[in-house]
Amino acid sequence: RCHFLMTGYTPVVLADENTHNASSAAQRPSVSTIRKTTVLDVMRRLTQPKNIMVSANTRRGCYISILNIIQGDADAIDPTQVHKALQRIRERKLVDFIPWGPASIQVALARKSPFVESSHKVTGFMLANHTIVHELFSRLLGQYDQLRKRNAFLDNYRKEPMFLENLDEFDDAREVVQDLVDEYRACERPDYASFGMGKANSA
């Protein structure tokens, strides 16, 4: 069940920023200038919360798996740079992985897109499975519980045949999401392999 991925991208800059005049540029909030776009810098920044497109702090929890797609010109990236970057990330312990599985980052190299202009030699895109995603589902459960407590927005559902007698479908769906939250939390523990064994035995 733990297959809900989050994405990351770097460097993120304003599009067509050169076409804006100086006055409008002065009014815009400052955008951090990307000074380095080496393979190591890109892979390091991909794991930073500010470059992840999910409202969750990845400094908590741990990664289950990571795929980095590094894009750039042939003279800008090569496999040896990727190997050195991975080694540096391990040495500095920049990424926390699950305690019960291999700590590996899969990397794919790609050429720069001819359809997307970029002034950077190297860009990076990340697909990651991280245990902190349980916070997103926990928030959803909290919001659902508040709505259910007030019986808000349920009138239209009660008009349907399957909800005439009860709202068990909603309760079952909530239980599925809660089980997902519990499993993601269990992934952070070394004994994850035995997760759910108690339920299976009782069943």
Side-chain angles (χ1 to χ4, degrees), residues 62-65 96-103 129 131 187-189 192:
C62 51
Y63 283 94
I64 300 174
S65 59
D96 292 326
F97 273 92
I98 48 177
W100 46 269
N129 195 354
T131 59
C187 285
E188 301 175 359
R189 303 194 299 266
Y192 170 70

Side-chain angles (χ1 to χ4, degrees), residues 5-146:
L5 305 181
M6 58 178 62
T7 60
Y9 184 82
T10 188
V12 178
V13 295
L14 290 177
D16 300 328
E17 59 183 0
N18 293 331
T19 62
H20 292 77
N21 55 40
S23 60
S24 63
Q27 296 173 359
R28 292 199 309 269
S30 60
V31 178
S32 58
T33 303
I34 306 298
R35 297 180 180 178
K36 295 182 180 180
T37 54
T38 64
V39 173
L40 173 60
D41 292 310
V42 168
M43 292 182 62
R44 177 178 54 83
R45 283 197 296 266
L46 281 175
T47 60
Q48 295 176 351
K50 64 181 179 181
N51 293 317
I52 293 177
M53 311 302 177
V54 172
S55 180
N57 186 2
T58 53
R59 298 191 188 282
R60 300 193 298 270
C62 51
Y63 283 94
I64 300 174
S65 59
I66 296 179
L67 168 64
N68 286 342
I69 300 176
I70 308 300
Q71 191 177 50
D73 295 328
D75 58 343
I77 56 176
D78 63 74
T80 58
Q81 288 181 320
V82 173
H83 178 74
K84 291 180 181 179
L86 290 172
Q87 188 175 8
R88 189 73 61 85
I89 290 174
R90 292 192 187 98
E91 290 174 352
R92 296 183 180 180
K93 297 181 180 179
L94 299 178
V95 178
D96 292 326
F97 273 92
I98 48 177
W100 46 269
S104 63
I105 301 176
Q106 303 297 319
V107 180
L109 303 182
R111 295 182 179 180
K112 292 182 75 172
S113 172
F115 307 104
V116 180
E117 294 184 3
S118 175
S119 59
H120 305 288
K121 292 183 178 180
V122 182
T123 59
F125 175 75
M126 179 181 71
L127 283 172
N129 195 354
H130 197 286
T131 59
I132 201 62
V133 79
H134 73 75
E135 286 189 355
L136 303 180
F137 293 107
S138 295
R139 282 181 225 155
L140 289 176
L141 289 176
Q143 294 167 0
Y144 166 78
D145 289 341
Q146 291 180 357

